[in-house]
Amino acid sequence: MPAIAVHHTETSDQPWDGPANKARLRSDEDAGYYRQAFAWYDPDGDPGVKSTYKFIHHFVDGNGNIGAASVRSCIMSIAILNGARGGSNIPDADRRGVWRHLAAHLRDAGMEPAELKSVAEDGFERRTWEAQIEVREVEGEGPKIVGYAAVFNQLSDLLFGQFREKIAPGAFAQSLGDDVRALWNHDSNYVLGRTTAGTLRLSEDTHGLQVEIDPPDTQWARDLMVSIRRGDVSQMSFGFVVPDGGDEWETGEDGIIIRTLKRVQLMDVSPVTFPAYPQTTVTVRATATALRAQVVAEGDNAEVEELRAQLDLLRRKIEIAEKEC
């Protein structure tokens, strides 16, 4: 299997520069040398060429000697396996083996690795914010859905169980003129607006990515606006891809790694029922497991039916979260 076998080495949380470490690797070495630095290899490639390998995560000194595993690189690499930066292009069958390799280094560093999750079929990353969306009535123009699909310089919850994220001002600047859709729950069957049609308008201000949508005069759109007015739908999400060099990783004062999105390609904006953070399913599953244990422990008493109802709701949230993620 092209995933490189788990090995145990020293680890380091020093700043990481993947391309620089890869460049310091010596050329024309044998496969044993390169396997010390990477987590995956192309079985059809030349084992004596470093371009055959992917997921470098070890520090390399000026003489080409391979050293400690980088904690930051392992965290970033697992995030990529889980869909960050557009995901990885290795075969799906190899993802679990690569994850095991990287996870072993994190456990050696005393950290619990993020779980490997199923990647969205479209390959997009998605984030959700309390967006303060509302429906405004504009005389002579009809109702509009307005709000923010993203806010700047606000740290997210812990993503993938490993890092937090924030969006830098200007991150969407290059996407404002692109062909972007507004969807309901990221479902392409329910298009609320589109920039090229003039029914979706996007702009950046000091707060974040501002959205104004002219929804269609359809029953499902009218129903959505009733839900927004009632406060039942209060969050917006955006789908995006991070180009090379579009993000930056650093360690915060509390020791948690922070990813800053500096430049993204925006794919869609969407009012959503449930948050689509990558950790949503993991968090809900953990809660569901705890509830299930409580149901078993409580036995046959008056609280069991209420617990079962909570468990059923959590199961439904898992199904929706997995579709949105």
Side-chain angles (χ1 to χ4, degrees):
M1 165 165 125
I4 294 171
V6 169
H7 62 174
H8 299 280
T9 67
E10 291 184 359
T11 61
S12 172
D13 190 30
Q14 295 299 309
W16 171 255
D17 184 333
N21 281 283
K22 186 174 182 178
R24 286 194 287 269
L25 286 168
R26 295 190 292 268
S27 300
D28 301 321
E29 290 278 355
D30 62 18
Y33 171 77
Y34 294 116
R35 283 170 177 263
Q36 297 176 59
F38 295 88
W40 182 88
Y41 70 95
D42 182 352
D44 296 324
D46 183 342
V49 177
K50 59 186 174 183
S51 60
T52 296
Y53 302 83
K54 289 186 178 180
F55 290 103
I56 186 169
H57 57 283
H58 281 265
F59 288 98
V60 182
D61 68 18
N63 295 318
N65 299 311
I66 299 168
S70 166
V71 168
R72 301 187 194 188
S73 178
C74 290
I75 289 174
M76 286 186 281
S77 295
I78 289 177
I80 289 170
L81 287 174
N82 280 333
R85 294 185 176 177
S88 66
N89 58 1
I90 67 172
D92 286 345
D94 297 343
R95 291 174 63 242
R96 175 62 62 177
V98 172
W99 177 88
R100 288 195 192 99
H101 185 125
L102 300 167
H105 286 306
L106 291 177
R107 292 191 178 106
D108 287 342
M111 302 176 66
E112 186 59 30
E115 294 184 12
L116 182 67
K117 76 179 189 70
S118 297
V119 179
E121 291 182 2
D122 56 20
F124 302 162
E125 295 187 62
R126 293 195 170 94
R127 302 291 184 267
T128 303
W129 304 89
E130 283 292 346
Q132 303 171 330
I133 57 174
E134 61 183 52
V135 176
R136 291 181 185 169
E137 301 292 341
V138 179
E139 188 174 352
E141 298 183 21
K144 298 180 185 297
I145 300 173
V146 298
Y148 286 88
V151 293
F152 296 140
N153 295 323
Q154 184 177 114
L155 283 173
S156 71
D157 295 331
L158 202 62
L159 305 181
F160 302 106
Q162 297 289 304
F163 65 91
R164 301 179 75 186
E165 189 175 78
K166 64 181 179 179
I167 306 168
F172 303 100
Q174 295 184 14
S175 291
L176 296 180
D178 291 349
D179 186 9
V180 180
R181 275 79 163 174
L183 307 175
W184 166 225
N185 265 334
H186 292 295
D187 190 334
S188 58
N189 293 305
Y190 296 97
V191 180
L192 287 163
R194 184 174 178 179
T195 52
T196 55
T199 52
L200 167 63
R201 291 167 293 281
L202 302 170
S203 62
E204 281 192 356
D205 60 17
T206 57
H207 184 66
L209 178 65
Q210 197 166 26
V211 175
E212 184 178 82
I213 305 167
D214 299 330
D217 186 19
T218 58
Q219 186 59 53
W220 65 265
R222 290 193 293 270
D223 291 344
L224 170 59
M225 287 186 283
V226 170
S227 296
I228 293 174
R229 290 188 182 102
R230 282 163 46 100
D232 299 333
V233 174
S234 63
Q235 293 172 302
M236 286 198 75
S237 175
F238 65 97
F240 65 100
V241 174
V242 180
D244 290 342
D247 57 3
E248 184 176 87
W249 302 72
E250 60 185 340
T251 302
E253 294 180 359
D254 58 359
I256 299 295
I257 290 179
I258 297 172
R259 180 195 192 193
T260 301
L261 299 176
K262 301 171 64 178
R263 180 168 51 90
V264 303
Q265 180 183 359
L266 187 64
M267 309 307 296
D268 69 85
V269 294
S270 179
V272 291
T273 308
F274 290 113
Y277 276 116
Q279 84 273 19
T280 298
T281 304
V282 175
T283 302
V284 173
R285 283 192 188 281
T287 306
T289 300
L291 272 175
R292 190 177 298 110
Q294 190 175 353
V295 167
V296 173
E298 290 290 339
D300 187 17
N301 61 34
E303 296 181 356
V304 169
E305 288 307 313
E306 181 180 351
L307 290 169
R308 290 187 193 282
Q310 293 180 43
L311 185 56
D312 288 340
L313 176 60
L314 285 168
R315 285 172 178 155
R316 175 59 180 154
K317 285 187 175 183
I318 289 172
E319 293 173 3
I320 294 174
E322 286 178 333
K323 289 178 182 177
E324 291 186 345
C325 289

